[in-house]
Amino acid sequence: MSVEKVVKETKITIGVLMLVSLALLVTWFIFDIQEVSFANNKALLALSLIPLSAALASFLKLMKIKKNPKVILSETDERLVAEKNEADAKALKLLQAVLFLSYMGYTFIIPEDTFNSIGWWITLIILLLSLFAPMIFRHITKET
């Protein structure tokens, strides 16, 4: 993979993410000024932070590549890929633990919300998805 191609793709990614973030921010600003009620206008402001964060991460990647173009080798080196996969697996386990503690805390701190609150159901569904997703993905990749 050539350095120029990666730099070009990263720049395009940054541009698209910044456009999406700006569009969400402008939409929030227009709705807020004109007092248009769209569910919750603050949600648009919060959503604009997601692509902005992704653009920042891509920008940092671009700076890292420009500083040291040999960094691209790390994406194909088997040892580094295995190390990255191990770190991803540990991060998933940590997030699963946090989700489990959130679910248990929600259930025990506010027992009257159990089975009634949408927050309780969302926490449960995300917890179950995080537990079963690795097995499902392994099964899908075995078939292909």
Side-chain angles (χ1 to χ4, degrees):
M1 184 176 278
S2 72
V3 175
E4 294 84 24
K5 184 179 178 184
V6 172
V7 168
K8 183 179 177 185
E9 287 177 0
T10 306
K11 285 181 179 179
I12 290 171
T13 302
I14 291 170
V16 169
L17 289 169
M18 290 300 290
L19 266 169
V20 170
S21 180
L22 188 63
L24 287 167
L25 189 63
V26 167
T27 305
W28 166 77
F29 185 71
I30 291 170
F31 282 4
D32 198 44
I33 293 289
Q34 300 205 354
E35 297 178 3
V36 175
S37 179
F38 175 75
N40 186 355
N41 293 345
K42 288 182 183 178
L44 291 171
L45 179 62
L47 285 175
S48 72
L49 296 176
I50 296 170
L52 184 65
S53 302
L56 178 63
S58 293
F59 178 73
L60 293 175
K61 177 183 175 184
L62 182 65
M63 291 293 103
K64 189 176 178 182
I65 290 171
K66 282 188 174 182
K67 186 182 286 186
N68 185 7
K70 294 182 181 182
V71 152
I72 294 177
L73 290 176
S74 68
E75 294 178 2
T76 56
D77 185 11
E78 290 179 20
R79 293 171 295 174
L80 294 174
V81 169
E83 192 175 296
K84 180 183 174 292
N85 289 343
E86 185 177 336
D88 290 344
K90 287 181 181 178
L92 176 65
K93 289 294 179 192
L94 179 67
L95 287 173
Q96 286 174 340
V98 169
L99 280 167
F100 178 73
L101 291 175
S102 299
Y103 168 73
M104 294 301 286
Y106 197 146
T107 302
F108 287 114
I109 292 172
I110 312 170
E112 62 272 3
D113 276 0
T114 304
F115 298 114
N116 295 329
S117 170
I118 189 71
W120 184 88
W121 282 106
I122 289 172
T123 306
L124 174 64
I125 289 169
I126 293 173
L127 173 63
L128 293 176
L129 280 174
S130 74
L131 293 173
F132 292 116
M135 291 181 282
I136 293 168
F137 288 137
R138 265 187 256 127
H139 179 72
I140 289 171
T141 55
K142 280 184 184 178
E143 289 179 355
T144 58

